[in-house]
Amino acid sequence: MITKFSTIAATLCLASITSTQALADYPEKKIDLIVGYAAGGGTDVMARTVAPFLEQYLGDDATVVVKNMPGASGQIGVTATAQADPDGYTIGTYNLPGMMARTLDRDADYDADSFTYLANVVDDPNVIVTPKSSDIDSMDKLVAAAQERDGAITVSMSSLGGDDHFFLIRLSEETDAEYTIVPFSGSAPARSALMGGHVAMGIINLSEVVNFRDELNVLGIATNERSELLEGVPTFTEQGYDLVNGSLRGFIAPSGLPEEVEASLISAFEKAYEDPKFQEAMLKSGNPISLTTGDDFQALNAEQLELAERVWESSPWK
């Protein structure tokens, strides 16, 4: 009996050592990074900017491959991430408040408990833009045109139930005017429609406009203070409109991720965030960085879900 128990103990010990060694070797193969939006949008740009730094700080010759899975306002990509094996080899981008709003306005195969919350790295404020050729090149002109006839101003945005949409609801209330929404599958096509003159104005994010200043009029930025990324652009607050809003963007993995793998990924994000080259790259790509990791990121998600629920109850968008 003693021999039997000793054999079992030895076997369990060996299995534990083998398992720990396997986790210690993470990553041993490529990591798929799923982006639930089209290439060229703010989320895609963020992911492709972060990926090489994630590779660097994971070490062991890590390879991160960005996979675009656009559609359903990001739901397709985030669902694929939620349903992947929780082994650390599939992670995904995550947008707030949009991803939690998707659980309210449609059937969703995920909820707030479907993920391991790794790191939120971007807090990207909304901006209002018009085509460069437009006569509407200031907030005063926009509000006057919107108040002249309800629905006359068409607005391109990436999706319903996201930060763009929530911002438009606040804009409508603040300016006492109605606008006509023209939703797109992502911010890149929404911006393209705007630059092509197919809509009167667009609500997008700072990161999605910073490299297109010559082709767009930027009427204002939804922050408390001006941004160095948009030099000369006033906040809405200083123009007399109480509008502060934006998109949070980060990274998640399926729930049930091994603690050692979760710790490795969070550590890599933290090290990247402290790297001056990372900060410079994010600044150059127009992404305003703000790091929240692990449990704090999960708590932030809960706050955003509560916000989405309040908006849904008072102004359902479907």
Side-chain angles (χ1 to χ4, degrees):
M1 183 67 72
I2 294 175
T3 302
K4 184 177 180 180
F5 280 138
S6 297
T7 302
I8 292 173
T11 301
L12 291 173
C13 182
L14 179 60
S16 176
I17 292 172
T18 302
S19 176
T20 301
Q21 181 62 43
L23 291 173
D25 290 338
Y26 173 82
E28 295 182 299
K29 59 183 180 179
K30 71 177 179 68
I31 299 169
D32 287 330
L33 171 51
I34 296 176
V35 177
Y37 297 92
T43 303
D44 179 71
V45 170
M46 175 199 70
R48 294 179 187 277
T49 303
V50 170
F53 292 95
L54 191 58
E55 292 175 338
Q56 176 183 344
Y57 288 108
L58 281 173
D60 295 324
D61 297 320
T63 300
V64 177
V65 179
V66 175
K67 297 179 64 175
N68 294 92
M69 298 180 64
S73 303
Q75 185 180 17
I76 291 175
V78 79
T79 300
T81 304
Q83 296 178 345
D85 292 334
D87 55 10
Y89 293 103
T90 300
I91 62 176
T93 57
Y94 193 74
N95 300 63
L96 288 172
M99 291 304 95
M100 283 295 93
R102 297 290 77 75
T103 66
L104 303 176
D105 64 14
R106 66 192 70 176
D107 291 332
D109 294 325
Y110 67 89
D111 58 25
D113 296 323
S114 298
F115 309 105
T116 299
Y117 294 86
L118 299 174
N120 188 81
V121 298
V122 170
D123 187 348
D124 196 359
N126 293 114
V127 294
I128 291 178
V129 289
T130 61
K132 201 67 174 180
S133 59
S134 175
D135 293 333
I136 301 175
D137 56 5
S138 71
M139 275 300 291
D140 287 343
K141 291 180 181 179
L142 173 66
V143 174
Q147 290 177 340
E148 184 176 348
R149 182 164 61 90
D150 284 343
I153 299 297
T154 52
V155 186
S156 65
M157 62 177 61
S158 62
S159 65
L160 296 178
D163 65 289
D164 298 345
H165 182 210
F166 291 175
F167 178 80
L168 181 63
I169 291 173
R170 297 181 64 181
L171 174 68
S172 182
E173 295 171 348
E174 188 72 10
T175 61
D176 192 25
E178 294 183 11
Y179 302 79
T180 299
I181 301 174
V182 184
F184 289 85
S185 62
S187 55
R191 184 182 57 217
S192 295
L194 179 74
M195 292 191 296
H198 303 298
V199 289
M201 65 170 272
I203 295 175
I204 53 180
N205 297 99
L206 182 154
S207 66
E208 296 152 356
V209 71
V210 69
N211 293 321
F212 296 88
R213 290 292 302 277
D214 294 338
E215 301 171 71
L216 297 167
N217 300 313
V218 185
L219 309 191
I221 180 171
T223 52
N224 288 310
E225 298 179 357
R226 292 194 182 196
S227 170
E228 61 180 312
L229 291 170
L230 288 177
E231 186 176 352
V233 176
T235 68
F236 294 112
T237 301
E238 65 184 276
Q239 298 181 74
Y241 303 96
D242 183 18
L243 296 169
V244 177
N245 201 67
S247 171
L248 300 174
R249 301 194 191 108
F251 299 87
I252 43 89
S255 64
L257 202 65
E259 291 183 3
E260 295 86 349
V261 174
E262 178 183 358
S264 293
L265 285 164
I266 290 177
S267 176
F269 281 112
E270 291 173 341
K271 290 175 181 177
Y273 186 80
E274 295 298 326
D275 188 332
K277 291 182 179 179
F278 171 81
Q279 296 174 14
E280 181 181 355
M282 292 293 279
L283 186 66
K284 186 176 181 180
S285 67
N287 280 284
I289 59 175
S290 178
L291 182 67
T292 306
T293 62
D295 291 343
D296 290 336
F297 185 16
Q298 187 169 4
L300 183 61
N301 183 77
E303 292 173 5
Q304 291 291 307
L305 173 57
E306 184 181 354
L307 168 64
E309 288 173 337
R310 289 202 308 269
V311 174
W312 178 252
E313 289 173 2
S314 61
S315 304
W317 52 86
K318 275 193 174 182

